[in-house]
Amino acid sequence: MSVPLAERMRPRTLDEFAGQASVVGEAGPLRALLAQGELPSLLFWGPPGVGKTTLARLLAAESGRQLTALSAVEAGVKDLRAAVAASAGEPPGIVFIDEVHRFNKAQQDALLPHVESGAILFMGATTENPSFSVNNALLSRVQVFVLDSLGEAELLRVLQRALADQRGYAGRAAVSAEALALLVAAADGDARRALLLLEQGVALAAGEELGAEAVRATLRNQPRRFDRQGDDFYDLISALHKSVRGSDVDAALYWLARMLDGGCDPLYLARRLIRIASEDIGNADPRALDVASAAAQSFERLGSPEGDLALAQATAFLASAPKSNAVYLAWQAACADVERHGSLPVPHKLRNAPSKLMDQLGYGAGYRYAHDDPDGIAWGEHYLPDKL
């Protein structure tokens, strides 16, 4: 079985490592830690294909330590104990756990005494926010490094190196500049994905130069990166909401398109637009709630892609509308009063008196019927509980 191009092209040194200059560059903290010979336990957090596993391997090689790798998708406590036993020594070996967020609390806790005592160096990789997916006890014992998606220039260098390196296609494949640009754009910040697409394209080219049209054929129906439950999802919906609130129609439509393109449930977006209509526009333009609700109903009738336009129309309307959060703030204040003061009694004047006994108890006494006042408003009257 042939080894995938992405595996063959893994960097062999930190100098070959693409991107993350703030972490692994000449002035980066990992270089300094290696120079001091004092590696701590580390956790790498970032999207797929940015080099988390590769970085762990390079640090093991550069520091002369044994690396025992596990995947949290497959491993259990028994595997973890075996890895710890194999790594204990002087200097301590590295136990690397990929997708560590998939370990449950008990599995993560099993690491604690060994990390605490220094019996092993723990390195983990996660695509999920460690604040929510990694136990606080373990998180407090590791140093977290955030790895970013690769930029276009960095991805281009990754592809060019694969075309020039003997481990890749040195002298055996040619790719046009336009095709390379398309591959870089389609990779979406993911070096592994870039190399996979290059490998597919070269295979389809069958010895000919890989041109733009062949790449476009390769890229048809290729999904873009979108995590329906992770940080990307919440970052995108936050960007959509804030763009509407900030009255930036173009940005709001862009973020809506990003979420629909990524496979977000359109009815979730419809519900979010209804919420925005009340929270950020309110009675500055009461039509906003009608427009958002109508868009939701339209999508339910039409489905996608026809109904997407109704969501776009509502998004543009909400972003263009005047803004007021007065209802939102007033509602929060009312809820806070209920929580703070408990079940305050209804003033007697506001109570109905359908029975003689209730009338004798003073229910309704002193109530002013607002329609009988000259302006239709009982000026000076109050309707809150007496304590408020």
Side-chain angles (χ1 to χ4, degrees):
M1 182 177 67
S2 61
V3 178
L5 177 63
E7 184 64 29
R8 300 200 307 270
M9 292 306 302
R10 279 192 188 274
R12 294 162 294 190
T13 66
L14 286 176
D15 291 333
E16 288 185 355
F17 192 83
Q20 321 307 333
S22 62
V23 175
V24 300
E26 289 297 332
L30 284 182
R31 298 265 190 174
L33 290 170
L34 279 172
Q36 296 165 10
E38 293 293 337
L39 277 177
S41 289
L42 303 170
L43 181 62
F44 302 116
W45 170 31
V50 297
K52 300 184 292 295
T53 301
T54 296
L55 199 49
R57 292 184 181 184
L58 290 176
L59 291 174
E62 296 271 352
S63 63
R65 297 174 188 266
Q66 172 187 322
L67 178 76
T68 303
L70 299 175
S71 170
V73 176
E74 302 173 335
V77 172
K78 182 179 178 181
D79 304 299
L80 188 57
R81 287 173 179 158
V84 168
S87 302
E90 191 58 44
I94 295 171
V95 175
F96 172 72
I97 301 176
D98 196 15
E99 304 291 339
V100 67
H101 59 273
R102 293 184 180 271
F103 266 177
N104 60 34
K105 184 179 186 301
Q107 290 169 318
Q108 291 185 28
D109 284 345
L111 278 166
L112 292 178
H114 310 294
V115 175
E116 180 75 25
S117 66
I120 63 166
L121 278 183
F122 163 67
M123 290 189 188
T126 178
T127 55
E128 302 288 336
N129 188 330
S131 300
F132 308 117
S133 60
V134 178
N135 293 353
N136 287 333
L138 181 57
L139 200 57
S140 69
R141 291 167 170 81
V142 301
Q143 190 167 342
V144 178
F145 284 103
V146 180
L147 305 186
D148 299 317
S149 297
L150 273 64
E152 291 186 355
E154 294 160 344
L155 286 171
L156 182 60
R157 285 197 294 273
V158 168
L159 294 178
Q160 290 172 334
R161 187 162 66 86
L163 291 170
D165 196 295
Q166 290 297 330
R167 295 175 295 161
Y169 297 113
R172 293 180 287 118
V175 183
S176 72
E178 186 180 0
L180 279 175
L182 288 172
L183 291 171
V184 165
D188 210 10
D190 183 333
R192 186 188 300 110
R193 180 179 170 85
L195 291 168
L196 173 63
L197 293 173
L198 174 63
E199 190 172 28
Q200 292 174 347
V202 168
L204 287 175
E208 302 293 329
E209 181 183 68
L210 179 60
E213 286 307 312
V215 170
R216 289 191 183 96
T218 302
L219 297 179
R220 282 197 188 100
N221 300 320
Q222 287 280 348
R224 275 169 281 278
R225 187 177 74 232
F226 185 79
D227 185 347
R228 300 186 192 192
Q229 294 181 323
D231 283 351
D232 280 351
F233 174 86
Y234 293 106
D235 289 345
L236 286 168
I237 193 61
S238 177
L240 171 61
H241 194 148
K242 289 179 172 66
S243 297
V244 173
R245 180 184 292 153
S247 301
D248 190 330
V249 180
D250 293 339
L253 290 173
Y254 169 79
W255 295 119
L256 176 70
R258 278 282 300 275
M259 297 200 76
L260 289 172
D261 176 78
C264 178
D265 179 4
L267 289 176
Y268 166 82
L269 294 170
R271 292 192 297 271
R272 190 65 181 240
L273 292 175
I274 293 172
R275 163 73 183 200
I276 292 172
S278 288
E279 179 180 341
D280 293 291
I281 298 166
N283 290 326
D285 189 341
R287 296 173 300 168
L289 192 56
D290 289 337
V291 170
S293 298
Q297 292 175 349
S298 297
F299 186 89
E300 286 181 330
R301 289 188 177 185
L302 294 175
S304 186
E306 290 85 356
D308 296 352
L309 186 59
L311 299 181
Q313 178 185 350
T315 299
F317 183 92
L318 298 182
S320 304
K323 305 297 188 293
S324 169
N325 68 343
V327 171
Y328 176 64
L329 294 178
W331 175 242
Q332 285 187 315
C335 291
D337 277 339
V338 169
E339 184 175 352
R340 184 181 304 115
H341 299 290
S343 302
L344 296 177
V346 175
H348 277 62
K349 64 185 176 184
L350 299 182
R351 301 184 188 188
N352 287 327
S355 71
K356 185 175 181 180
L357 173 62
M358 296 166 80
D359 185 61
Q360 291 172 347
L361 291 174
Y363 283 28
Y367 172 66
R368 292 166 58 190
Y369 187 60
H371 293 292
D372 290 341
D373 281 66
D375 298 320
I377 298 174
W379 296 108
E381 188 59 272
H382 72 84
Y383 299 89
L384 284 167
D386 293 336
K387 186 174 181 178
L388 298 181

